[in-house]
Amino acid sequence: MIKVPYIWKNWKLIKWDEALDHNLTHSLHYWSWVFEWIRFYPTKNWPKVFRLKEHIDRLFYSASVVGMDIPFSKEEIMQGVLDVVKNAWIDSGYIRPLAYYGYWQMGLNPIGAPVEVVISAWGWWKYLSDKPIRVKIPSVRRIDPQTIPMWAKICWNYANSILASLEIKKGGFDEALLLDTQGFIAEWPGENIFFIKWNEVFTPVAWTILPGITRDTIIKILDSEFRIKVKETRIHPNQLKDFDEAFFVGTAAEVTLIGSITDIDNTEYKYQTGIETLSSKIKNFYTDLVHWKYKKYNNWLS
């Protein structure tokens, strides 16, 4: 990780090493944090933040789910992100806006605790390999949306992801692919999945998944650039053998090709990953897009 000089906290820039909180901070004990995961990229002139507005809109939605009233406007938070990037001294990296209940109230009900907001940025390596990855379906199932809202980025949702990641890493796999509680394919611990068959593209329906901003980006560019309508549907593991290609998408993973998926019974299904595959073309287009090579998408770059 490459540290940057400043972190934005409650409307002002403070030095990286001064971003400290009390150990009785409510969200530290009950995981009642909400957050976003944003990227900024180098361009010809200066770094650009990808789909900033959509990320901050979702941050405020997530806060509303846990009864949190963020004491800043969306415009102020977006400006805070840009101020952190401007003072980062690096031209690409990750941004983490985080809103949480601070020190005061220690009961399960957080109402009455102050709401704190911090925005951090750092330089980091690629989240997953540029090469096709090996994926495993773990025994852990995705959270049922009738227990916790899946459309919000709340930290407690990610305990489920941590358990899945720990399980598959023991077997030497790169990433997990979670099933929902009814046995259908949901998503991996942090991103969404797409499948391809005869140039048709499929993705799990937005029910037990967080329908990501990168997922939305891919659906839009497949429609506008590749003239392909993505089919959102429920996908069962017994259909894994029917697909030609598969790939993950997300802010950190961008577009990551999948070389194989191993089912719970250890049956391995392999997928095409050559440079002429549709998934490779999607990956290359997305990389060019976030580096400001297509003017028609400039409104996605701040």
Side-chain angles (χ1 to χ4, degrees), residues 224-225 227 285 293-300:
S224 62
E225 305 296 332
R227 300 295 185 264
F285 188 93
K293 293 185 179 179
Y294 299 110
K295 290 185 178 180
K296 66 184 289 186
Y297 296 106
N298 281 1
N299 63 316
W300 281 348

Side-chain angles (χ1 to χ4, degrees), residues 99-168:
Y100 58 99
Y101 287 107
Y103 165 60
W104 187 255
Q105 167 68 274
M106 280 305 294
L108 280 173
N109 187 333
I111 303 305
V115 175
E116 311 274 359
V117 181
V118 295
I119 303 169
S120 309
W122 61 90
W124 206 22
W125 54 89
K126 186 173 174 61
Y127 185 67
L128 288 172
S129 173
D130 248 341
K131 297 178 180 179
I133 62 171
R134 296 174 63 236
V135 177
K136 177 74 168 67
I137 296 178
S139 61
V140 176
R141 294 295 180 95
R142 201 67 175 123
I143 303 165
D144 192 296
Q146 295 180 85
T147 61
I148 295 176
M150 293 302 300
W151 288 47
K153 286 185 78 71
I154 306 171
C155 289
W156 61 50
N157 287 358
Y158 287 81
N160 178 239
S161 299
I162 292 170
L163 292 175
S165 294
L166 288 171
E167 180 180 329
I168 64 94

Side-chain angles (χ1 to χ4, degrees), residues 133-141 167-168 171 173 175-180 183-186 193 195 235-243 258-271:
I133 62 171
R134 296 174 63 236
V135 177
K136 177 74 168 67
I137 296 178
S139 61
V140 176
R141 294 295 180 95
E167 180 180 329
I168 64 94
F173 293 90
E175 197 49 275
L177 174 59
L178 288 132
L179 305 182
D180 64 29
F184 291 93
I185 289 171
I193 191 167
F195 295 96
I235 302 170
H236 195 272
N238 63 19
Q239 296 174 263
L240 289 173
K241 64 183 183 300
D242 300 327
F243 298 113
I258 297 173
S260 67
I261 298 175
T262 300
D263 205 344
I264 294 175
D265 64 1
N266 290 321
T267 301
E268 184 182 41
Y269 303 98
K270 295 187 176 182
Y271 300 99

Side-chain angles (χ1 to χ4, degrees), residues 185-186 203-209 215 231-235:
I185 289 171
T203 194
V205 67
W207 183 62
T208 55
I209 69 171
R215 177 183 183 270
K231 297 179 180 180
E232 298 182 61
T233 184
R234 302 183 82 178
I235 302 170

Side-chain angles (χ1 to χ4, degrees), residues 27 31-36 58-68 70 96-101 115-118 152-156:
S27 290
W31 278 34
S32 52
W33 318 65
V34 299
F35 70 98
E36 277 301 315
R58 188 170 62 186
L59 178 72
F60 275 73
Y61 166 73
S62 299
S64 72
V65 170
V66 295
M68 183 183 293
I70 294 178
R96 172 59 63 87
L98 184 73
Y100 58 99
Y101 287 107
V115 175
E116 311 274 359
V117 181
V118 295
K153 286 185 78 71
I154 306 171
C155 289
W156 61 50

